[in-house]
Amino acid sequence: MNKVVFRNCDENSQYWIALERLFQSEWSDFLFVDTYKQKAQLPPVIVALRDNKVIGGLAYSRYQEPHGNSEVIWFNAVFVSTEWRGQGVASELINQGVKQIPENIKNHLYVYTNVASLYESLGWSVVDIESEPNHSVMCISLETQSRV
């Protein structure tokens, strides 16, 4: 039995469309083309593979910083297929996603999520900002993270 492999992925990857479809299974309007534009200068998408099949992934976007005016990088989508949950795949995606943020980026990374407890277990904090029920804006300080 093969282990889970994590790879960076772009529009030229054989996994790009499969990962977009996986994200669309959770967010029907998700399209990479909406966020992955040249000017956005986002880190690469990360895909999780098991036996060369897409089982999860992480994508970024730029959005306004909570309590600020500048655009910053957010996790736009973090998703793992139902049958692969509870095995640490999402945690590894999140940790790798944090590590690949370039050094010259602002001091915090953000996510809007319905699984705040997962992020809290990885050292993220809730941002005091209004959000939908059962959702939270979370952040992690990039200054305390060892990045590549």
Side-chain angles (χ1 to χ4, degrees):
M1 188 146 65
N2 295 333
K3 63 178 185 161
V4 177
V5 175
F6 299 88
R7 291 197 178 130
N8 286 350
C9 177
D10 65 22
E11 66 273 3
N12 299 314
S13 168
Q14 63 180 334
Y15 307 113
W16 189 256
I17 292 172
L19 182 56
E20 185 174 66
R21 286 186 183 135
L22 180 64
F23 287 155
Q24 288 169 348
S25 73
E26 181 68 14
W27 307 285
S28 59
D29 60 346
F30 182 93
L31 293 171
F32 280 126
V33 72
D34 290 343
T35 53
Y36 277 82
K37 300 171 180 163
Q38 185 75 28
K39 66 179 181 176
Q41 298 180 348
L42 294 169
V45 169
I46 302 172
V47 62
L49 304 166
R50 177 77 188 247
D51 296 326
N52 214 31
K53 179 180 181 251
V54 174
I55 64 163
L58 179 148
Y60 302 88
S61 65
R62 285 198 179 265
Y63 193 72
Q64 186 173 327
E65 184 175 22
H67 309 300
N69 295 328
S70 57
E71 273 199 355
V72 294
I73 294 178
W74 289 64
F75 284 169
N76 183 37
V78 178
F79 189 77
V80 176
S81 296
T82 309
E83 62 270 25
W84 296 104
R85 292 183 186 165
Q87 299 180 43
V89 177
S91 294
E92 185 61 24
L93 283 166
I94 292 165
N95 288 333
Q96 286 193 22
V98 170
K99 287 179 185 171
Q100 73 175 12
I101 300 293
E103 291 288 337
N104 63 342
I105 296 300
K106 290 270 190 183
N107 297 333
H108 292 88
L109 177 65
Y110 298 92
V111 67
Y112 182 70
T113 182
N114 64 341
V115 286
S117 60
L118 169 62
Y119 287 87
E120 286 176 322
S121 74
L122 298 171
W124 291 63
S125 303
V126 174
V127 175
D128 184 22
I129 192 168
E130 189 175 326
S131 59
E132 294 178 27
N134 303 317
H135 285 75
S136 299
V137 173
M138 310 288 297
C139 79
I140 191 164
S141 171
L142 296 173
E143 294 174 347
T144 59
Q145 303 300 312
S146 61
R147 298 186 274 172
V148 252

